[in-house]
Amino acid sequence: MEANQDITERRLADAWAELQAHSDNGHPLQADAYRLAFADPEFLLRRETRGIRFQLEMLKPDLTQQQLGIEHTVVVFGSARFRERGEAEAVLQAAEAAGDARAIAKAQALVRNAHYYDRAREFARLVARYSATCPKHEQLYICTGGGPGVMEAANRGAHDEGALTVGLNIALPHEQAANPYVSPELSFKFHYFALRKMHFMMRAKALLAFPGGFGTLDELFEVITLVQCKKAKPVPIVLYGTHYWKRLLNLEVLVEEGTISPEDLELFHFVDDPQAAWEVIVKFYGLAA
């Protein structure tokens, strides 16, 4: 009689072992009806299996973060195009040497906005330092879109302090790789923007939005809308860079025209200093600063 089997053993591993052995023996996995359904990419990429792909993009990051104890995040949005000062100044020097007026103007903007990179990095350090003093279940983790610019800066700041840091990247026509400061075990790649934005909110305890473009605005207004409509619990929504945001968004017009309520303007805060941004979060939750 065979030895007793472990009741907790996972049987799905046998299927993977069978597939691997099949391949090792030199038998290609043909795209046909005989292939196991979950090992058939042609099948999984059909229009009719889109719902399954939604579920997979929902489950994979969620289960991984659960396993690593990532329950509370501070989400940092902002331009992927900003660079740290040294890199921005090098771009400007090259543009000036080439004498290209358009490139010079673009590089000057890079230099002008380089301080946002530094400030995002500094803010993330504050979050990571605070969390290092907390029990595991109370720790806050920096979460970004995983790309370059402000996202890289925030991941980098947490990485500076030895903290785990989350990146929710997106597959784009112009390939965007994860920045090197995202923890490898928490570096996720999405196909669907909707699922990615859902993951931003699932664990978010605060949102800090630095100046950015269409992507930043999309993510920002998604959060504001969810909180305004009470589809998500209230969280601190902090806009870093008063001069930028108040030139871009004249939201008082919405109040004047009756399309939002006056109290909706209280859903977010303007700040110009990393410490001030952190203090908004500290005050909201009554944390021990």
Side-chain angles (χ1 to χ4, degrees):
M1 184 174 181
E2 293 185 5
N4 292 335
Q5 299 295 312
D6 183 354
I7 195 170
T8 64
E9 184 180 358
R10 297 181 179 181
R11 308 304 298 168
L12 187 59
D14 295 345
W16 284 114
E18 180 181 339
L19 287 172
Q20 185 63 52
H22 191 80
S23 176
D24 291 344
N25 290 332
H27 303 297
L29 294 172
Q30 301 295 337
D32 56 26
Y34 192 67
R35 188 189 301 185
L36 289 169
F38 64 78
D40 186 343
E42 290 84 0
F43 172 70
L44 287 177
L45 291 174
R46 288 179 58 156
R47 179 179 179 181
E48 295 87 347
T49 57
R50 182 177 292 158
I52 297 171
R53 298 196 298 276
F54 285 172
Q55 187 175 16
L56 291 174
E57 288 210 342
M58 178 67 193
L59 282 173
K60 183 179 178 181
D62 187 33
L63 294 176
T64 301
Q65 288 179 87
Q66 282 184 36
Q67 291 165 0
L68 292 173
I70 311 295
E71 293 299 334
H72 313 296
T73 60
V74 176
V75 177
V76 180
F77 295 142
S79 177
R81 302 186 183 194
F82 292 166
R83 298 290 179 266
E84 60 179 321
R85 183 163 301 279
E87 185 178 344
E89 289 174 346
V91 172
L92 178 57
Q93 290 174 4
E96 289 174 339
D100 184 334
R102 185 174 180 181
I104 290 172
K106 187 175 180 180
Q108 287 172 337
L110 275 182
V111 172
R112 184 170 64 248
N113 291 316
H115 67 101
Y116 290 123
Y117 184 104
D118 298 332
R119 299 300 173 261
R121 185 178 178 184
E122 184 179 345
F123 170 80
R125 286 180 182 144
L126 293 172
V127 175
R129 286 172 193 158
Y130 166 80
S131 291
T133 67
C134 297
K136 179 71 174 179
H137 68 280
E138 294 179 4
Q139 290 179 356
L140 295 165
Y141 297 89
I142 292 294
C143 175
T144 78
V150 167
M151 296 174 283
E152 175 186 293
N155 289 128
R156 186 175 181 178
H159 181 270
D160 290 342
E161 299 295 322
L164 290 174
T165 174
V166 183
L168 307 180
N169 217 310
I170 186 78
L172 298 172
H174 48 286
E175 185 65 22
Q176 175 177 285
N179 72 66
Y181 304 104
V182 177
S183 300
E185 63 270 45
L186 291 166
S187 184
F188 304 104
K189 187 175 185 178
F190 290 82
H191 175 75
Y192 298 104
F193 271 106
L195 272 297
R196 180 179 182 243
K197 288 195 286 186
M198 182 178 291
H199 273 288
F200 276 130
M201 283 302 295
M202 282 175 60
R203 288 172 165 79
K205 293 299 182 287
L207 164 72
L208 178 59
F210 281 82
F214 291 149
T216 301
L217 292 172
D218 175 44
E219 292 154 348
L220 171 62
F221 279 101
E222 173 97 0
V223 176
I224 291 175
T225 301
L226 289 172
V227 172
Q228 182 208 36
C229 296
K230 298 182 171 31
K231 297 293 284 185
K233 290 183 179 179
V235 297
I237 302 171
V238 185
L239 305 184
Y240 193 103
T242 304
H243 181 63
Y244 179 90
W245 288 112
K246 289 201 171 180
R247 282 188 302 147
L248 177 64
L249 305 175
N250 181 11
L251 298 181
E252 287 77 7
V253 170
L254 302 181
V255 176
E256 292 170 7
E257 298 300 328
T259 56
I260 66 170
S261 301
E263 56 268 27
D264 290 334
L265 296 181
E266 299 173 7
L267 294 175
F268 47 87
H269 309 264
F270 295 97
V271 300
D272 294 291
D273 177 76
Q275 183 65 41
W278 172 237
E279 287 173 359
V280 170
I281 299 170
V282 167
K283 181 178 180 181
F284 187 92
Y285 291 108
L287 304 179

